[in-house]
Amino acid sequence: MSQLKVYNSYTRQKEVFNSITPGHVGMYVCGPTVSGESHLGHARPFITFDVVYRYLQFLGNKVRYVRNITDAGHFEEEGREAEDKISKKAVLEKLEPMELVQKYTNLFHWAMKQFNNLEPSIEPTATGHIVEQIEMIKTIIKEGYAYEVNGSVYFDVKKYAESYPYGKLSGRVVEDLLETTRDLEGQDEKRNKQDFALWKSAAPEHIMRWNSPWGVGFPGWHIECSAMSSKYLGTEFDIHGGGMDLMFPHHESEIAQSSICHGGHVPARYWLHNNMITINGKKMGKSYNNVIKLTELFSGQHPLLEQAYAPMTIRFFILQTHYRSTLDFSNEALQAAEKGMKRLWESYESLKKLAQTHSGDQEGSDNALVAKVTKLMEEMDESMNDDLNTAKVLASMFELAPVINSVKDNHISISAIGTKTISLLSSKFKAYLEDIFGLKAEKAQDDNKLNGVLELLINIRKDAKAKKDYVTSDKIRNQLQQLGILLKDDKDGTVTVSFE
RNA sequence: GGUCCUGUGGCCGAGUGGCUAGGCUGAGCUCUGCAAAAGCUCCUACACCAGUUCGAAUCUGGUCGGGACCUCCA
């Protein structure tokens, strides 16, 4: 099997993935800011990196997956009103800041569960790591790369850039930054415009505030990730993930802070960035006022939505595109994903039954067929290893689906494909659909009573059909359909039930 | 303005220089009491203009369009 290659934003090329400690992987992903409800755009990194997490584990690694919760609240750029985002909203909603944070953290966790995302190994909060952040800032000052002004501390980017490649990750030149950074109104405490805050002095009205060697304040924009990643993954770890929009300034600043504290090296070896979800070609984001919240998506309650979309539909939709491409939202695209996922999943259900009833390791007699199936299965692995090309994996699976369905419908005989191939296919589909992609049946029906009633109805209908009493048989089928239960008559007389 | 990405059939989307990805939609056929599902077949695209090459959607240059970042942002 080929080796896993990933596109490393830091080197701008695909590289073979090798973890620092073989068999172990440390991965840090920038988590949500819990000052508001998550929207569709937020779903992408968490689904993308959930698949990375799952795949690394599938490959036999023990993975420590750290995803933070930003609950300390970033503040607006100085010059505008320097306000803690979270405390501002708390006033509006008349809630305690931590109450607000709790509410949106719970909602975020709920959404992650809907998407069938695995829980990270550690989910540290910014407010829980104020001490670590302060310690880190102290080190940066001691090393001479930060300075204090009026109770705030800033990172000295200009000095850092003299001996480190500041801007390498995001492809930026420090001199250019000086020219293109917007003019700041009012007083500027910073020595240079590129400098960023490590610690900000808190105005009296700030509710979220902590004591520090520089006075009462709150931590800067980027220091939490540096502090928490090094605490839980070490000063050099394998993967750092997040959305492309975080490359600058967030990740660039993270690299700068961490390098100063940890011997000059970049904290993570592989930097993975997912692209944005767009809507009508524009990035979905608060500033564009075009977000669709996850709760709206699941319920269909939004002017742009023609219907509700199930979490698994969205997951499938996201996986049908490569993670580094933009993904444009539209009802048409979501509906296509919904149908496609349904078809693939039903094929998988058939395959599971086939594998159960026809176990064995008998070689198939149709060599061309077996070769085709084998090739497609190999391509699935190749595609996944090629920078996690889930879109291509799914394409291969869609090519396998007709083969499976044909075996089910007896258009292809069991002996032609061979029980061995069926068994291999079955474990392959299970591995990808369930273990790696984290998909699951939209509506698992494991209600014994309901199943008993269904069985009864199916039997009555079968008897009616035998007597050519189609009025009765159609009545049962039609009325069940109105309830969202579909009965499909298979070739061999059995009935397949599916739920809408 | 700077840096970078991108432009694929009705829609969504993969794509390693030569081998019609795939999904959805639409049309036809087969199977079926009817239906649904499924299977088979068809709709053969790569913004534009030059260049490199035996050969380019894929490489190079240019033109035009779209987008991201440069500010909180997944």
Side-chain angles (χ1 to χ4, degrees):
Chain A
M1 199 163 126
S2 62
Q3 285 178 292
L4 171 61
K5 283 188 195 159
V6 293
Y7 182 85
N8 188 351
S9 306
Y10 194 73
T11 56
R12 288 159 198 258
Q13 56 188 9
K14 276 187 205 170
E15 295 175 355
V16 173
F17 178 78
N18 286 309
S19 55
I20 296 165
T21 310
H24 291 258
V25 178
M27 176 165 83
Y28 188 91
V29 174
C30 291
T33 301
V34 285
S35 61
E37 215 182 308
S38 299
H39 58 75
L40 177 59
H42 296 121
R44 194 170 192 189
F46 304 127
I47 289 173
T48 299
F49 289 103
D50 182 61
V51 171
V52 174
Y53 179 42
R54 287 167 175 271
Y55 190 52
L56 288 169
Q57 289 187 113
F58 177 80
L59 293 176
N61 294 291
K62 188 160 172 22
V63 185
R64 181 177 289 170
Y65 174 22
V66 180
R67 187 183 66 205
N68 65 298
I69 296 269
T70 299
D71 59 349
H74 291 308
F75 33 83
E76 306 298 333
E77 181 192 358
E78 52 272 84
R80 293 190 236 156
E81 274 182 294
E83 277 176 303
D84 182 338
K85 205 161 49 176
I86 287 173
S87 64
K88 183 183 179 186
K89 192 144 191 197
V91 171
L92 293 176
E93 297 196 5
K94 293 202 165 95
L95 286 170
E96 273 299 315
M98 286 317 287
E99 190 180 353
L100 189 72
V101 158
Q102 188 69 57
K103 176 182 162 188
Y104 288 120
T105 301
N106 291 345
L107 205 51
F108 172 73
H109 284 151
W110 170 81
M112 292 301 101
K113 222 176 176 68
Q114 296 300 305
F115 284 128
N116 202 27
N117 282 341
L118 298 173
E119 289 167 8
S121 325
I122 303 176
E123 195 170 46
T125 61
T127 53
H129 297 76
I130 299 292
V131 173
E132 286 84 350
Q133 296 178 68
I134 289 173
E135 285 308 311
M136 210 159 173
I137 296 167
K138 277 157 80 177
T139 305
I140 298 170
I141 293 174
K142 201 176 79 192
E143 295 292 326
Y145 287 92
Y147 54 92
E148 187 199 338
V149 185
N150 302 331
S152 295
V153 182
Y154 297 96
F155 190 92
D156 190 340
V157 171
K158 199 176 172 188
K159 179 172 181 192
Y160 175 80
E162 283 166 13
S163 27
Y164 297 92
Y166 187 82
K168 184 179 173 186
L169 176 71
S170 53
R172 243 145 272 245
V173 183
V174 180
E175 290 77 54
D176 292 350
L177 284 176
L178 229 170
E179 290 166 22
T180 55
T181 302
R182 65 160 62 181
D183 281 338
L184 304 167
E185 302 127 39
Q187 54 168 358
D188 188 8
E189 302 176 331
K190 298 194 288 192
R191 285 183 195 164
N192 293 293
K193 286 176 180 174
Q194 318 95 305
D195 294 353
F196 56 88
L198 295 169
W199 186 265
K200 277 294 278 182
S201 164
E205 61 272 23
H206 262 269
I207 305 171
M208 283 199 157
R209 51 205 289 134
W210 291 267
N211 282 318
S212 80
W214 317 284
V216 177
F218 50 93
W221 316 353
H222 320 295
I223 194 74
E224 63 171 277
C225 288
S226 288
M228 297 191 287
S229 64
S230 60
K231 174 163 182 175
Y232 298 112
L233 296 170
T235 56
E236 189 175 20
F237 54 93
D238 299 300
I239 296 174
H240 194 304
M244 272 183 185
D245 51 353
L246 294 180
M247 270 168 95
F248 189 89
H250 185 60
H251 292 157
E252 200 71 69
S253 304
E254 236 184 286
I255 291 174
Q257 296 161 350
S258 294
S259 321
I260 293 305
C261 296
H262 304 133
H265 59 73
V266 178
R269 294 203 51 203
Y270 303 91
W271 291 77
L272 273 53
H273 291 96
N274 64 273
N275 214 318
M276 302 293 104
I277 287 184
T278 58
I279 181 161
N280 296 323
K282 275 261 188 293
K283 173 184 166 184
M284 188 179 284
K286 269 170 276 184
S287 21
Y288 295 103
N289 234 335
N290 61 357
V291 299
I292 301 176
K293 290 175 189 165
L294 293 176
T295 47
E296 293 168 339
L297 213 49
F298 297 161
S299 69
Q301 300 297 309
H302 189 284
L304 286 172
L305 297 175
E306 288 171 8
Q307 62 170 83
Y309 297 101
M312 283 306 119
T313 299
I314 294 158
R315 193 172 175 106
F316 192 84
F317 172 64
I318 286 172
L319 293 175
Q320 258 191 316
T321 307
H322 185 80
Y323 75 97
R324 283 193 294 110
S325 300
T326 53
L327 171 56
D328 198 54
F329 165 88
S330 70
N331 282 285
E332 256 186 313
L334 248 336
Q335 283 159 14
E338 185 179 72
K339 285 185 183 160
M341 153 110 192
K342 190 171 182 239
R343 192 161 89 83
L344 195 58
W345 196 269
E346 281 179 5
S347 186
Y348 170 51
E349 295 284 354
S350 305
L351 177 60
K352 278 198 284 193
K353 281 181 197 148
L354 284 171
Q356 269 172 12
T357 45
H358 301 282
S359 60
D361 62 346
Q362 173 225 344
E363 301 279 351
S365 59
D366 187 337
N367 292 330
L369 176 69
V370 173
K372 176 186 163 190
V373 170
T374 307
K375 183 163 176 277
L376 282 166
M377 287 196 289
E378 280 167 5
E379 280 173 6
M380 288 167 66
D381 296 332
E382 296 291 328
S383 303
M384 195 60 191
N385 279 335
D386 185 13
D387 195 27
L388 311 155
N389 197 333
T390 56
K392 219 174 164 194
V393 175
L394 285 172
S396 298
M397 296 181 91
F398 272 114
E399 286 193 72
L400 286 165
V403 175
I404 295 165
N405 293 336
S406 295
V407 174
K408 183 201 165 217
D409 291 344
N410 291 321
H411 294 139
I412 294 174
S413 69
I414 297 289
S415 61
I417 190 166
T419 50
K420 186 181 175 184
T421 307
I422 289 177
S423 164
L424 288 171
L425 258 178
S426 176
S427 51
K428 201 69 157 180
F429 265 58
K430 199 241 169 214
Y432 275 92
L433 289 176
E434 295 196 42
D435 300 340
I436 299 171
F437 291 169
L439 294 164
K440 62 179 182 184
E442 198 50 74
K443 291 235 171 92
Q445 212 73 42
D446 38 56
D447 182 333
N448 280 332
K449 284 179 186 164
L450 176 63
N451 288 341
V453 172
L454 271 180
E455 207 172 310
L456 174 69
L457 285 169
I458 288 167
N459 281 331
I460 292 172
R461 178 162 171 273
K462 196 184 272 177
D463 292 344
K465 274 175 68 179
K467 288 184 236 158
K468 295 200 190 295
D469 176 8
Y470 295 122
V471 176
T472 304
S473 68
D474 287 354
K475 188 178 176 186
I476 292 172
R477 189 176 62 197
N478 293 338
Q479 294 208 356
L480 282 177
Q481 189 177 358
Q482 282 176 15
L483 296 170
I485 300 169
L486 293 184
L487 299 187
K488 293 177 216 163
D489 295 329
D490 291 334
K491 284 278 171 48
D492 55 3
T494 59
V495 177
T496 307
V497 184
S498 69
F499 300 92
E500 292 224 301

